[in-house]
Structure formats: C-alpha cells, structure tokens
Amino acid sequence: MTIRRTCTAAVATLALLGLAACGSDDEPQAESSSSASASSSPSAEATEESTSTEGAPAWAKPVTTPGTKIGTVKAGDVTVDVYQVGTTKATKTGNFVDPKDNKPIIAVGDEIVFVNYVVTNTGDPVDLGSSLVDVSARYVDWPYVQGMDGITDNDLYEAQDVQTSGVAPGAFADPSVYTLGKGETFSYGENFRYEKGTKLDVKVTYTPVDAEGELLHDDRVEGEGSVTIS
C-alpha cells in the first residue's frame, strides 16, 4: 500500500517576511520596514545556470539549479540540495529593521547572496500542502528571533535564475494538495545578507496533509544540517 505524506513549507515570497515573532527579552526582534523600489542588476558572480522540466511534477515550475551545491539536508524521504548562486548589491531595503536603531538590516547597496533549494522526494509519493516544504536558513550569529532578512525584487530573482515559489502560475489546487511523486523535484530560493565564510544552519520541515488538504500534525517531519557560505 502506498504511503502518502505531505510537506509544509515557506515558499511564500520574501514580501511576507514582515510577520512578527515572539522571543525572550534578551533576543533582539527585528521589525518590518517598507521597501524602496529600484532597478535590479545581475550578479557579477552568478555561475552558469541550468533549467530542466525533467522530474518536476505537473504543478511545479521548471527546476533551476544555478550556482554551486554546498550541501544537502534530509527530512525523512525529502532531500534539499542547497546551492549558493551568486552575490549582488541590494536594490531595495530589506523587510526588517534593527529595533535598536530602527535602521534597515539590509540597506540599498549592501551585498546580498542568493541561495537555491532543490527539493526531491526519494520515497513514496508525498502530498504537499499549500506551503510545500519549509526551508529555514539562519547564520549561526544571526541575532534576531525572525528568520533571515532579504529583499523583494522579482527582477533580481529572475537575473539569478532563482524562483520565489515552486508552484507554477495557474497551478494552485483546491483543496490544497500537491502530490510529489518518487524522484520528483521542485526548486525555489531566497536571498539574505552576504557573510563570506559563515556557517548557515538549515532546517527542513514538512507536515503531511489528508485528501482535503488538512494538516496531519502528528506526522510532522523535520531535519537539519549546516552549510557554509563561501
């Protein structure tokens, strides 16, 4: 009998990073800030890109694998290959401000790095919820409760060949059930401040859903590992 499981994740765009989080009094909590618009430019350090639809489910965008693979993190039968793509200058301010001085954590012109997550199911078919697979990456010295800050610039993502979401336009399902078959893959990524030589802790989490798209919290699967930004 085929076991069907699902993955939860944060494939929402970085525009949603302004959500508040709670923490202890001794942990600074970054606050959201508005972003100023600016034109984007491609990274001078972006490596050769490759794009493929082979092995991607019908609901997913074509898989992209630009950059250099710097590690793999497993959560149950789901693997996430982490690629460091390239660096470029921030065209906008980030989504958070430092609560100590109310200044953006990422300012226009700061160097940022793009990373790409290639998610593959190595086991039985998995039913994904609306948020797919959550990949949470944080520098070991990141001082804030929230996840890492980044900028929202679709043109910059396109220039780096990194997708903000794994789901293709027009492929959103109701109920929210996205089946990822054995050996099937999708990809998406993010950007954050560039800290060369810094260790990045990566957590992968997914929660199966039933046929109606309801989360099966008791079946939640987690995995974690680390990579280093070069």
Side-chain angles (χ1 to χ4, degrees), residues 30-186:
E31 300 173 359
S32 62
S33 67
S34 59
S35 297
S37 61
S39 60
S40 63
S41 58
S43 168
E45 297 180 12
T47 56
E48 184 177 355
E49 304 168 351
S50 63
T51 303
S52 173
T53 57
E54 184 178 357
W59 49 262
K61 294 178 180 178
V63 175
T64 66
T65 57
T68 301
K69 189 167 104 171
I70 56 176
T72 299
V73 179
K74 295 184 177 181
D77 291 330
V78 171
T79 66
V80 177
D81 291 329
V82 182
Y83 289 78
Q84 182 174 334
V85 181
T87 63
T88 188
K89 301 296 183 182
T91 56
K92 303 178 181 181
T93 58
N95 298 294
F96 297 149
V97 296
D98 190 325
K100 294 180 180 178
D101 55 17
N102 207 37
K103 293 182 179 180
I105 293 175
I106 296 178
V108 174
D110 286 350
E111 193 167 16
I112 59 175
V113 60
F114 276 80
V115 294
N116 194 42
Y117 307 128
V118 179
V119 182
T120 303
N121 174 27
T122 65
D124 292 328
V126 177
D127 289 334
L128 309 176
S130 60
S131 54
L132 304 182
V133 178
D134 179 23
V135 182
S136 174
R138 293 167 64 113
Y139 285 129
V140 292
D141 60 356
W142 185 248
Y144 306 104
V145 174
Q146 288 96 337
M148 298 251 277
D149 193 18
I151 70 164
T152 304
D153 186 330
N154 289 336
D155 290 339
L156 208 57
Y157 272 83
E158 184 176 353
Q160 296 285 334
D161 196 28
V162 175
Q163 298 164 158
T164 59
S165 170
V167 179
F172 292 94
D174 185 16
S176 298
V177 179
Y178 301 89
T179 301
L180 186 67
K182 183 174 183 178
E184 289 186 332
T185 301
F186 67 94

Side-chain angles (χ1 to χ4, degrees), residues 11-17 152 154 164-165:
V11 289
T13 62
L14 288 170
L16 299 180
L17 287 177
T152 304
N154 289 336
T164 59
S165 170

Side-chain angles (χ1 to χ4, degrees), residues 190-211:
E190 62 179 332
N191 66 75
F192 38 78
R193 190 172 60 200
Y194 180 49
E195 293 186 8
K196 184 176 181 179
T198 302
K199 182 180 176 182
L200 191 69
D201 288 333
V202 182
K203 295 183 179 179
V204 176
T205 306
Y206 61 91
T207 304
V209 298
D210 61 20

